[in-house]
């Protein structure tokens, strides 16, 4: 249910509505293009992810030792709701306020992602984690379909003419998250056992994270996988942050086509998460993860080629295709890639994590994710300022290719056995 609830934030604020509103209306076009707006949007997301990089492992260490995963999750949830609701006050020209609120809300949301993922290893046996993770991601996309579907129908398009209605997207996303996550805090159990207190929060975090760095040689496959994840998630975060901006600026789609694309991506992402979750439990997590990366490379090439392919078909076949409709077909492939890759990576970390260190290891998962976000979005933001958004999107294909090569070094059976054999340092 937390996956169901928090998807309203990432879709409405980061991907579908507010990102486009911020770049095209709140900052707006400068010198005939949106490169400054895109760069500011990139910097806001990168700063929020950098804060996660610094704090996620420390918070995870505290949660494991003091059995406070649920408390930390609750704090991040309230912070996300409050900062998101305040986006209502970000009007055209209020760029600094918008940047501050995006940094705060996205930081709190991203920390919550790590906190909720830390519960995964205790929710079922290892052979079912792919299915469980996939079901969570799929339910998340269904939640996003409800939340963003209502927004697009009732609040309308992200445009200057419709600003007085669409500015309510922040309060609505906050309200949806606030209500839909209530079952999580009513029924999710804190299964850990707190250890005797041995100093302050800061002392606990520093001691445990230091010990973990010394123990990483025991978790070789997890370490290699997190490096692979750094590259793959850099590509994913670029797509999450810029896909709908790409549709508006490069494809030039109409509002109705954008709405259809949103529905297509949600449905195919849910199908990808469920389908590849089942595949993972049958063929292995590593193999499934690599399959999703190959799917991503195909999707990125299709995104880049859409305008040229449309022009080529129209020229040689004499047809009158529009790039925005071709882009809808590409959206199916991107949606399958999105849901499957995120679910597979979360489950693989769960398989490589001892239950008594799950929050801490998922803190490192959050670190890799958000460091990826910083790396990918800053690279894309700078690259698009030089060569434009369409050409710079090819960076994602390179990132996914590098992730595949690194993941080839991971031995899944050895990584799972390492988690089972782990004994804490004295």
């Amino acid at each position: 249910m937390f996956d169901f609830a928090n998807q309203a934030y990432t879709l409405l604020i980061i991907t579908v509505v507010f990102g486009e509103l911020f770049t095209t209306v709140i900052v707006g076009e400068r010198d005939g293009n949106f490169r400054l707006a895109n760069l500011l949007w990139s910097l806001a997301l990168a700063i929020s992810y950098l804060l996660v990089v610094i704090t996620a492992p420390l918070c995870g260490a505290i949660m494991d030792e003091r059995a406070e995963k649920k408390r930390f999750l609750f704090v991040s949830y309230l912070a996300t709701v409050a900062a998101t609701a305040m986006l209502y006050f970000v009007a055209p020209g209020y760029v600094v306020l918008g940047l501050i609120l995006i940094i705060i809300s996205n930081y709190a949301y991203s920390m919550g992602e790590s906190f909720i993922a830390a519960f995964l290893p205790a929710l079922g046996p290892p052979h079912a984690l792919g299915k469980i993770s996939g079901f969570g991601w799929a339910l998340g996309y269904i939640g996003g379909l409800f939340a963003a579907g209502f927004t697009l129908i009732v609040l309308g398009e992200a445009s200057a003419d419709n600003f007085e209605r669409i500015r309510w997207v922040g309060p609505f996303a906050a309200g949806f998250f606030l209500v839909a996550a209530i079952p999580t805090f009513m029924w999710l159990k804190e299964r850990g056992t707190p250890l005797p207190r041995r100093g302050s929060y800061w002392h606990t975090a520093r001691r445990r994270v230091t010990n973990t760095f010394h123990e990483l040689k025991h978790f070789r496959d997890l370490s290699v996988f997190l490096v692979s994840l750094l590259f793959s998630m850099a590509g994913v975060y670029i797509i999450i942050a810029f896909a709908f901006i790409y549709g508006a600026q490069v494809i030039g789609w109409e509002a109705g086509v954008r709405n259809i694309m949103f529905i297509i991506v949600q449905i195919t992402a849910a199908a990808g998460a469920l389908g590849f979750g089942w595949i993972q439990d049958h063929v292995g997590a590593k193999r499934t993860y690599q399959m999703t990366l190959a799917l991503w490379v195909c999707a990125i090439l299709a995104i880049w080629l859409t305008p040229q392919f449309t022009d080529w078909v129209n020229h040689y076949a004499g047809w009158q295709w529009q790039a925005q409709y071709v882009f809808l077909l590409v959206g199916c492939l991107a949606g399958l890639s999105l849901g499957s890759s995120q679910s597979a990576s979360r489950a693989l970390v769960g398989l490589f994590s001892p239950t008594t260190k799950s929050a801490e290891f998922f803190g490192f998962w959050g670190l890799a994710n958000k460091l990826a976000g910083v790396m990918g979005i800053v690279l894309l933001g700078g690259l698009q300022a030089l060569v434009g958004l369409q050409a710079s999107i090819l960076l994602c294909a390179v990132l996914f290719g590098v992730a595949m090569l690194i993941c080839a070094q991971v031995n899944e059976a050895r990584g799972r056995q390492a988690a089972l054999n782990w004994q804490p340092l004295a």
Side-chain angles (χ1 to χ4, degrees):
M1 286 306 298
F2 200 85
D3 279 347
F4 179 89
N6 73 3
Q7 195 71 4
Y9 175 83
T10 190
L11 281 171
L12 295 181
I13 305 305
I14 304 301
T15 305
V16 180
V17 179
F18 193 81
E20 184 178 336
L21 187 69
F22 182 85
T23 55
T24 60
V25 177
I26 293 169
V27 178
E29 190 174 16
R30 306 288 176 91
D31 298 325
N33 58 62
F34 295 96
R35 294 185 182 184
L36 174 62
N38 293 345
L39 181 61
L40 291 174
W41 181 250
S42 300
L43 289 175
L45 297 182
I47 291 170
S48 66
Y49 294 147
L50 186 59
L51 292 173
V52 176
V53 169
I54 296 169
T55 57
L58 299 173
C59 290
I62 295 169
M63 291 188 295
D64 277 329
E65 178 145 327
R66 302 198 175 179
E68 292 183 351
K69 291 193 289 288
K70 197 169 179 179
R71 178 182 295 180
F72 276 68
L73 181 66
F74 187 69
V75 172
S76 72
Y77 152 77
L78 290 183
T80 306
V81 168
T84 304
M86 292 178 66
L87 289 173
Y88 172 85
F89 299 105
V90 181
Y94 285 60
V95 176
V96 174
L97 177 62
L99 291 173
I100 292 171
L101 290 177
I102 284 295
I103 290 170
I104 294 172
S105 63
N106 197 49
Y107 168 72
Y109 160 79
S110 299
M111 291 295 285
E113 273 192 313
S114 297
F115 298 160
I116 194 67
F119 287 91
L120 179 62
L123 296 182
H127 66 267
L129 291 190
K131 180 167 55 181
I132 294 169
S133 180
F135 179 77
W137 279 112
L139 193 61
Y141 286 114
I142 293 171
L145 185 62
F146 279 104
F150 173 85
T151 301
L152 296 174
I153 292 171
V154 175
L155 299 183
E157 63 181 8
S159 66
D161 293 339
N162 189 48
F163 181 76
E164 289 305 317
R165 288 176 64 191
I166 199 62
R167 72 188 306 177
W168 284 95
V169 66
F172 173 74
F176 186 94
F177 193 4
L178 179 69
V179 174
I182 289 175
T184 298
F185 298 102
M186 290 180 62
W187 293 308
L188 181 63
K189 295 180 180 179
E190 180 72 65
R191 299 179 185 274
T193 302
L195 299 176
R197 282 183 179 267
R198 291 184 286 177
S200 65
Y201 273 175
W202 167 246
H203 176 76
T204 299
R206 185 164 52 86
R207 173 174 46 80
R208 284 190 62 115
V209 170
T210 300
N211 286 346
T212 295
F213 275 114
H214 289 138
E215 296 162 350
L216 278 180
K217 60 181 180 293
H218 182 75
F219 300 102
R220 170 188 169 188
D221 295 287
L222 175 63
S223 302
V224 174
F225 175 70
L226 289 176
V227 177
S228 171
L229 188 68
L230 176 67
F231 286 91
S232 68
M233 289 307 297
V236 170
Y237 276 104
I238 288 172
I239 297 301
I240 289 174
F242 282 95
F244 278 70
I245 295 172
Y246 188 95
Q249 296 180 12
V250 177
I251 303 300
W253 59 16
E254 300 167 355
V257 175
R258 182 199 62 177
N259 296 349
I260 295 172
M261 174 64 90
F262 161 73
I263 295 171
I264 287 174
V265 170
Q266 294 306 106
I267 294 173
T268 54
L274 282 174
F276 278 89
W278 180 86
I279 291 171
Q280 178 176 311
D281 289 337
H282 287 77
V283 306
K286 173 191 168 181
R287 186 176 299 174
T288 303
Y289 172 71
Q290 289 183 304
M291 290 167 59
T292 67
L293 296 180
L295 198 62
W296 260 126
V297 172
C298 296
I300 297 304
L301 293 176
I303 289 172
W304 173 64
L305 283 171
T306 295
Q308 295 97 314
F309 175 77
T310 306
D311 291 341
W312 182 85
V313 168
N314 290 341
H315 177 74
Y316 287 99
W319 296 342
Q320 297 297 319
W321 285 7
Q322 295 184 35
Q324 61 179 340
Y325 297 117
V326 177
F327 201 52
L328 292 177
L329 298 177
V330 177
C332 296
L333 186 58
L336 286 173
S337 308
L338 182 65
S340 58
S341 61
Q342 291 179 302
S343 174
S345 68
R346 182 169 69 173
L348 196 52
V349 174
L351 291 171
F352 289 172
S353 300
T355 54
T356 54
K357 292 178 76 68
S358 62
E360 188 174 353
F361 277 21
F362 273 102
F364 281 101
W365 173 75
L367 182 154
N369 269 291
K370 305 317 174 188
L371 186 58
V374 175
M375 179 178 75
I377 290 174
V378 168
L379 285 174
L380 191 283
L383 191 59
Q384 65 82 35
L386 296 174
V387 301
L389 188 55
Q390 183 183 1
S392 60
I393 206 71
L394 286 174
L395 170 67
C396 297
V398 175
L399 293 169
F400 291 127
V402 172
M404 290 179 67
L405 292 175
I406 296 173
C407 188
Q409 308 304 313
V410 173
N411 184 313
E412 182 178 345
R414 184 176 60 199
R416 294 174 67 166
Q417 193 61 44
L420 294 174
N421 294 342
W422 177 78
Q423 295 295 329
L425 292 175

